[in-house]
Amino acid sequence: MPTSEPRAPHVPSTGGARRPGKEPLPRPYLLWLAGILASLAGNAVFFFALGWAAGAHGGAVAGLVLSAVTLPRVLLLLVGGVVSDRFSARSVLIAGDAAMFVLSLALAAAAYH
């Protein structure tokens, strides 16, 4: 009794044209991806440097400093989720970045004086 194996369907040649699903990623997406990768690398370096500097004053101080950085982020994450459900996510992100920028400038000015 002969066994017949299933045959693969014939796929016509595209003649070098791009197949669907293989298009290059859009330029705005690649720019966003590069920006978010730079931001994440900056955050990683910042937390490492913060822990390193606080570690010079002892392990307990380093633990307190790193907890003081992480705790507000966790608490504000819950509030930010509620607010972004109520308002548009774009406006919440812009307002949050603007507030972070103003606070960073104020802290830099305070540290300078």
Side-chain angles (χ1 to χ4, degrees):
M1 176 159 110
T3 60
S4 63
E5 301 212 7
R7 295 174 46 144
H10 175 70
V11 178
S13 173
T14 58
R18 293 184 188 262
R19 296 182 313 205
K22 298 294 182 179
E23 293 85 20
L25 295 172
R27 183 171 169 81
Y29 175 77
L30 292 175
L31 290 173
W32 171 83
L33 184 61
I36 198 73
L37 289 175
S39 176
L40 290 173
N43 282 345
V45 169
F46 171 73
F47 285 118
F48 180 80
L50 193 61
W52 184 284
H57 302 287
V61 173
L64 286 173
V65 167
L66 293 175
S67 294
V69 170
T70 305
L71 188 62
R73 181 176 288 178
V74 170
L75 294 176
L76 291 174
L77 184 67
L78 297 172
V79 175
V82 171
V83 171
S84 68
D85 285 342
R86 171 97 180 174
F87 303 104
S88 73
R90 179 182 166 93
S91 61
V92 171
L93 285 172
I94 290 171
D97 284 346
M100 186 171 52
F101 178 71
V102 170
L103 183 63
S104 296
L105 285 179
L107 289 174
Y112 181 74
H113 293 296

